[in-house]
Amino acid sequence: MSVRVHTIEVPMPLRMGMVNCYLLEGAIGWVLVDAGTSRNRGAIDWALTDADCGPKELRLILLTHGDFDHIGSAAYLREEYNAKIAMHAADAEIARTGDMFAGRTRSNAVAGFLAPKLVKFGKKERFEPDVLLEDGKSLNRWGVEATVLHLPGHSAGSIGVLTADGDLISGDLFENLDGPRLNTIMDDPDAAHASLLRLRALEIRTVYPGHGTPFKLTDLPAEEE
């Protein structure tokens, strides 16, 4: 069975735009990729209900990286749906401590102070991941025919999900707000370009970014490399 991608677009605070979560519908289960902010719980609950994905169907909450606009509702969803949380080890310290710059080479004191307050990532939202994912990990055991790709750049632990159909959930490696491009915020630009070169060699049908609309990898400007 092909993997069907359901887009869940939820608003960020202070009209800062939208963030995408993706619900992957597989042969025998569902995987939620990213969990929005803690202020998005109602929108995500509604989207799961609308897709007929309940506590018995949601098998895994997979986080592409540790930014608060992508992990904010993960702890809540784990409790409500009894689904495990999975992410890469290099970003897990962000989830444990609430330090958005844990594991990053670049820091910003102002952003580090304001971010958890703007998106409401406090002690109740912190969590210990149940599963630490590595490059090449299959999601078949959770009912979805897809593979995890380690795609560092935006953060050290950024990952993507490549389905058997060739659809890539890219997290914040890419954005498509006014045209597809590498994300404007990168902790390690060299690593990001290496991740892009790796993806160029794969058969990818559609890219689903963390922010913005889906696009073809071939539409990405060559100068991004």
Side-chain angles (χ1 to χ4, degrees):
M1 177 182 174
S2 296
V3 178
R4 184 179 177 188
V5 181
H6 302 257
T7 301
I8 305 173
E9 190 180 38
V10 291
M12 295 175 63
L14 300 180
R15 298 183 180 180
M16 295 170 62
M18 309 292 283
V19 61
N20 297 325
C21 308
Y22 296 100
L23 185 60
L24 305 183
E25 179 182 0
I28 57 172
W30 302 70
V31 171
L32 178 66
V33 181
D34 286 335
T37 77
S38 61
R39 301 180 189 275
N40 299 145
R41 293 172 180 174
I44 297 174
D45 273 330
W46 183 90
L48 293 176
T49 300
D50 188 59
D52 291 326
C53 177
K56 293 183 179 179
E57 288 75 35
L58 185 62
R59 306 283 296 279
L60 188 71
I61 302 161
L62 185 151
L63 306 174
T64 60
H65 60 291
D67 285 353
F68 301 149
D69 57 329
H70 290 258
I71 72 171
S73 290
Y76 162 78
L77 292 169
R78 175 169 63 183
E79 182 176 353
E80 291 296 310
Y81 289 84
N82 195 31
K84 295 185 181 302
I85 298 175
M87 65 190 303
H88 193 278
D91 275 19
E93 192 66 12
I94 300 175
R96 296 185 187 110
T97 65
D99 178 3
M100 190 173 66
F101 294 99
R104 282 185 157 112
T105 59
R106 305 181 184 191
S107 62
N108 183 312
V110 175
F113 176 77
L114 291 177
K117 293 176 173 54
L118 289 175
V119 298
K120 191 184 174 185
F121 194 86
K123 291 184 178 180
K124 290 183 179 180
E125 284 72 42
R126 298 174 193 173
F127 57 88
E128 178 71 33
D130 302 294
V131 180
L132 296 178
L133 297 170
E134 297 180 351
D135 186 65
K137 179 69 174 179
S138 171
L139 300 184
N140 287 11
R141 65 175 292 188
W142 292 287
V144 171
E145 193 174 353
T147 304
V148 171
L149 302 179
H150 185 206
L151 301 173
H154 182 70
S155 68
S158 287
I159 57 176
V161 177
L162 182 60
T163 73
D165 305 301
D167 292 324
L168 174 70
I169 315 300
S170 71
D172 277 1
L173 178 64
F174 300 116
E175 62 182 42
N176 188 21
L177 300 173
D178 53 4
R181 56 167 295 158
L182 286 170
N183 198 294
T184 52
I185 301 174
M186 286 293 175
D187 184 61
D188 188 338
D190 290 339
H193 284 91
S195 294
L196 171 56
L197 288 176
R198 178 190 183 187
L199 294 175
R200 291 282 198 195
L202 302 177
E203 293 185 9
I204 296 175
R205 182 173 66 179
T206 305
V207 177
Y208 292 84
H211 302 270
T213 57
F215 62 92
K216 302 296 183 185
L217 190 63
T218 53
D219 292 338
L220 201 70
E223 57 264 27
E224 288 293 331
E225 298 179 11

